[in-house]
Amino acid sequence: MTTSLSSSPALPGGALGRIRLEADHLSPSLRRVADHVLQDADNVVHQNITELALSVGVGEATITRLCRKLNFAGFHAFKLALAADVMNRTPAPPPGGDSLGARAARLLHFTTQTLENTVQLLDAPAVERVATHLARAPRVVLAGQGNSGLLAQYFANRLMRLGITATVSTDPHITAVGISTLPGGGVVIGLSSSGSTIDTVQHLQLARNHGHYTVAVTHRASSPITRYASDVLFTAAQEDPLSDSVLDTLTSQALMLELLYAAILPKRPEAHTLLRVTAESVVDKKF
C-alpha cells in the first residue's frame, strides 16, 4: 500500500527560520525582501507593509507574496512571528579577530544560534509520526552522502541499540539495493542539508516508487528531496561566512536525530532492557 506523501510540506517555526528554509527558492524580488528582513529584522518589526516596501524598493504586493510563500496568512501574521524571533534570538556575534579565542567565540555563537533555530523549526507532530513508523519498522534504511552520511551512520547505531534493524552504506548502489528489498512497513530516511544531493534524492524517490514511508532531514524547504518525503524534519543552518566550518550544520542534524530518538523510546517498551543488554555487550571492549 502506497504511503500518502506531502507534496508541499508545511513550514514550521518563526519568520526568520522560514526565510532561511526557503531562501534558495525565492524569486529575485522576493529574495531582496527576504535578505532585507534577515539583515534588519530589528527595524522591520516596527514597520508597516508600506514602509517595508519603500525600504526595499518593491511593491506592497511583493511583500504579501513573500508572506504567503512562507505560509503566513498575511503581513500581520508574518510580523507577529518576526517579533517573537527578535525577542528570542541570541545576542550578536562577538567582534571579529584572528585569535583562536575570537574564532572559538564566533563558532560557539553561530552553533548555538543554529541549535536554537532548529528547536524553533521543530514540527512535533511530524517527529511523532516518524517515531511511530520507526518504532514499528522491520528495517530502516538510512541514506546520506559526505557529512550527512556520517550522521546517517551515527543514527543507525542509535536505532540498533533499541533493537531496530537499521542499515547504512556509503555506496549508493548498495543503498539502492537495500531500499528495493525493503519489506512492507520499512522506513527510508534521507539526510541532506542542502536537500539537493542527487544520490540521496534518488534514494527517496526509489523508496517512494516502492510505496515505502520516507523521511527527509534537511534545512532547505522546497528542495528536491522534499518532493519524495512522506514527512520532512527541518533543521537550521547558519554557517559563519568567515569560515568553512560545518559544525552548526552537523550539530543541528544531530539534535534533530536525538529528538527523534527521544520520541521513539516511549514507543518501544523493551527499549531500556535492550539498552542495558547492548551496553553489556561491549563491556569487554574497554579497559
Side-chain angles (χ1 to χ4, degrees):
M1 183 169 129
T2 301
T3 305
S4 64
L5 300 170
S6 54
S7 58
S8 180
L11 295 176
L16 297 178
R18 294 189 190 190
I19 287 175
R20 293 188 184 99
L21 285 171
E22 286 283 10
D24 288 350
H25 306 280
L26 297 176
S27 66
S29 59
L30 296 185
R31 183 63 185 262
R32 282 175 58 195
V33 180
D35 288 343
H36 178 82
V37 173
L38 288 174
Q39 295 166 10
D40 198 23
D42 292 282
N43 288 323
V44 172
V45 77
H46 298 294
Q47 293 180 319
N48 58 39
I49 190 170
T50 302
E51 292 168 337
L52 177 57
L54 289 173
S55 297
V56 184
V58 298
E60 293 181 17
T62 300
I63 308 296
T64 300
R65 283 202 307 276
L66 176 63
C67 295
R68 298 283 169 79
K69 176 72 173 177
L70 300 176
N71 281 5
F72 289 108
F75 183 67
H76 181 68
F78 169 77
K79 274 190 60 175
L80 288 176
L82 181 63
D85 286 342
V86 170
M87 289 178 61
N88 296 327
R89 69 186 178 186
T90 57
D98 291 329
S99 70
L100 181 58
R103 289 180 177 273
R106 286 200 303 275
L107 185 59
L108 175 62
H109 166 80
F110 284 109
T111 302
T112 301
Q113 177 101 44
T114 301
L115 292 175
E116 291 180 350
N117 289 344
T118 296
V119 172
Q120 290 178 358
L121 292 170
L122 183 65
D123 183 348
V127 171
E128 288 294 334
R129 286 193 299 271
V130 176
T132 298
H133 279 84
L134 288 173
R136 301 171 179 170
R139 179 153 56 91
V140 178
V141 175
L142 291 110
Q145 300 297 313
N147 291 324
S148 293
L150 298 176
L151 268 297
Q153 294 177 44
Y154 157 78
F155 195 54
N157 178 62
R158 296 289 274 160
L159 292 178
M160 286 190 290
R161 287 179 176 272
L162 295 180
I164 298 173
T165 302
T167 62
V168 59
S169 173
T170 56
D171 185 331
H173 291 193
I174 294 178
T175 302
V177 171
I179 293 171
S180 64
T181 59
L182 196 63
V187 177
V188 177
I189 302 177
L191 291 91
S192 172
S193 57
S194 68
S196 302
T197 306
I198 293 175
D199 286 330
T200 308
V201 172
Q202 290 178 342
H203 287 146
L204 252 64
Q205 183 178 18
L206 176 64
R208 171 183 177 175
N209 292 341
H210 282 271
H212 297 306
Y213 179 78
T214 55
V215 183
V217 180
T218 182
H219 72 254
R220 292 298 184 198
S222 302
S223 58
I225 199 172
T226 64
R227 301 171 194 163
Y228 307 110
S230 308
D231 273 303
V232 180
L233 302 181
F234 290 114
T235 61
Q238 186 175 325
E239 295 171 5
D240 184 347
L242 301 179
S243 75
D244 61 354
S245 169
V246 293
L247 177 61
D248 56 347
T249 301
L250 290 173
T251 52
S252 66
Q253 286 183 325
L255 173 61
M256 181 57 67
L257 294 176
E258 281 300 304
L259 292 171
L260 184 54
Y261 179 87
I264 296 171
L265 281 174
K267 304 179 190 300
R268 300 272 297 182
E270 71 278 27
H272 293 292
T273 299
L274 287 171
L275 287 173
R276 177 179 55 78
V277 170
T278 55
E280 291 173 351
S281 71
V282 295
V283 167
D284 62 351
K285 305 298 182 184
K286 300 177 183 179
F287 287 105

